[in-house]
Each structure stands twice: as structure tokens, then as C-alpha cells.
Amino acid sequence: MKKIVILISGRGSNMEAVVHAARQEQWPARIVAVISNKEEAGGLEFARSHGIATAVVPNKAYASREAFDAALQEAIDVFAPDLVVLAGFMRILTPGFVAHYEGRMLNIHPSLLPLFPGLHTHRQALAAGVARHGASVHFVTAELDHGPVVDQAAVDVMPGDTEDTLAARVLVQEHQLYPRAIRLFIEDRLSIDNGLVRIAESTAS
Ligand code: GAR
């Protein structure tokens, strides 16, 4: 049984999608904890009400990024996870923290990477006039919103789209995409070869 720790900063709808998929599809994995850098993160209540351990490591309480990341790492490692899942975790991570979880930390980013890293991705997509937008799941590396891509999902940009309508359409895709990608990790089907993700065939009959 693999152990997953999920990090959130807010609403946590991707975390919810992962928890539901893990249970409904009976993954050989358990969400052992949901950890937030914000006390008020809405997703914490969902986790508690589903019997999942929660912890808060408030970034405001730490004087430096390094001190916060060290405290966060300690809080995560109590649960000895096989995989750390960033689900709307809005922090820039230090290289030491990223290195500690190399090859076992995934992130979802609301754009078709390498397009539109950083914040306000839907606004960036509308400003760029792209016809397709979407979301990416990638292994976390030291460079923000980079790292080997596991999978992506795309939506059409519609005439009249606003940031909100586009974000909502992408989010529906995120909720399918993230559980699908995490499941590949859980099934030991992902490897990184020269900076690219390779996906092994399923051995399930
Ligand atoms: C999601 O759209 C996720 O892709 C994005 O934050 C939202 C969190 O929503 N993440 C990033 O922008 C990370 N760079 P959620 O809390 O409902 O899952």
C-alpha cells in the first residue's frame, strides 16, 4: 500500500478528486495526510470529514523560505509518503526541499506547459489568444512549473471566454487528469528518462 501526502493552500477540489478516485477505484494506496500552509484552507475540512489526518504549517510563522520548507518537510516525513502531491499548493519551493522529494513529488499546473508558468494562467492564455488551453501534471523540479510532464488535458478557448469561464472548464479536466496521472505513479508505471516521462504499459489484465 503506497502512502500519499497531499499539500494544499485553498479550496482543495483537486485533492477531493484524488481522494474520491483512490477510494472508488480502490487504488493500492492511501491518502495518509493533507497538509496546508494556510489554516483557513477550505480543503482541510473535507479531509477531516473523510478521516484523513491534517496538519497546518503556516508559512507566515517562519522567517525564511528555508525555515518554512524544513518545517514542512518534517511535517510531511512523519507520514513517510511514497508520493507527495501538490494540489493548488501556492508556494515556491527551495531547491533542497525539491531535491528531497525528487522523483516522488507531482504538481498540477493550469496551463499546457511549457506555456504560461507562474500565476494567472487563464488570463495569460486569453491575452495570448491561444485556441487551446488546459492543464499539465508534472514531476516537480527546482525550476517553477517545469519538470517532466506526465500528462496534459486540453480545452478549446471559446469566443467570449473570461478568466472565470475558462478556469472552470479547465478545472473539470484537472479533476480527471490528476487522479489518472497519480494512478500511473501508484502502479509504478512512470519513469524519467533523460528529462522525459516514460509510461509503461499496464500489466493489469
Ligand atoms: C488549480 O487550478 C491548480 O491547477 C492551480 O490552483 C488551483 C487549485 O484549485 N495550481 C496552480 O496554479 C499551481 N501553480 P483546488 O484548490 O480547487 O485544487
Side-chain angles (χ1 to χ4, degrees):
M1 200 58 126
K2 287 201 167 63
K3 291 186 275 182
I4 302 173
V5 168
I6 305 182
L7 305 188
I8 63 170
S9 294
R11 177 179 58 184
S13 69
N14 277 289
M15 175 270 296
E16 285 190 32
V18 173
V19 168
H20 284 312
R23 293 187 178 185
Q24 275 160 17
E25 299 170 12
Q26 301 186 319
W27 294 359
R30 215 156 54 85
I31 319 300
V32 288
V34 172
I35 300 177
S36 175
N37 62 318
K38 304 246 181 239
E39 187 102 49
E40 65 277 15
L44 289 171
E45 189 40 47
F46 171 89
R48 285 186 202 111
S49 68
H50 283 72
I52 299 169
T54 61
V56 176
V57 183
N59 56 279
K60 280 192 178 148
Y62 297 87
S64 68
R65 260 185 211 291
E66 285 72 17
F68 169 71
D69 279 5
L72 181 62
Q73 184 174 314
E74 207 172 306
I76 295 170
D77 287 352
V78 164
F79 297 96
D82 300 282
L83 176 66
V84 175
V85 166
L86 307 184
F89 188 64
M90 306 306 274
R91 293 281 309 169
I92 293 174
L93 301 167
T94 54
F97 182 89
V98 171
H100 181 69
Y101 298 106
E102 188 184 350
R104 56 188 182 115
M105 181 156 64
L106 293 173
N107 181 44
I108 189 160
H109 182 74
S111 79
L112 295 173
L113 291 172
L115 292 176
F116 317 133
L119 295 174
H120 309 301
T121 57
H122 310 299
R123 192 185 304 170
Q124 291 188 60
L126 290 172
V130 291
R132 307 270 282 163
H133 180 48
S136 308
V137 174
H138 64 97
F139 281 98
V140 177
T141 55
E143 198 179 348
L144 179 69
D145 299 330
H146 279 71
V149 170
V150 177
D151 199 0
Q152 297 182 307
V155 301
D156 289 331
V157 179
M158 308 288 204
D161 256 336
T162 64
E163 251 180 277
D164 286 350
T165 60
L166 190 53
R169 201 162 338 104
V170 171
L171 193 64
V172 171
Q173 293 301 315
E174 292 186 44
H175 295 164
Q176 308 286 321
L177 173 69
Y178 214 1
R180 194 165 74 224
I182 292 168
R183 191 176 168 161
L184 293 173
F185 183 95
I186 294 304
E187 293 174 344
D188 287 324
R189 292 174 59 195
L190 299 181
S191 56
I192 302 172
D193 175 11
N194 220 354
L196 295 179
V197 172
R198 305 267 175 235
I199 303 177
E201 291 294 318
S202 170
T203 52
S205 52

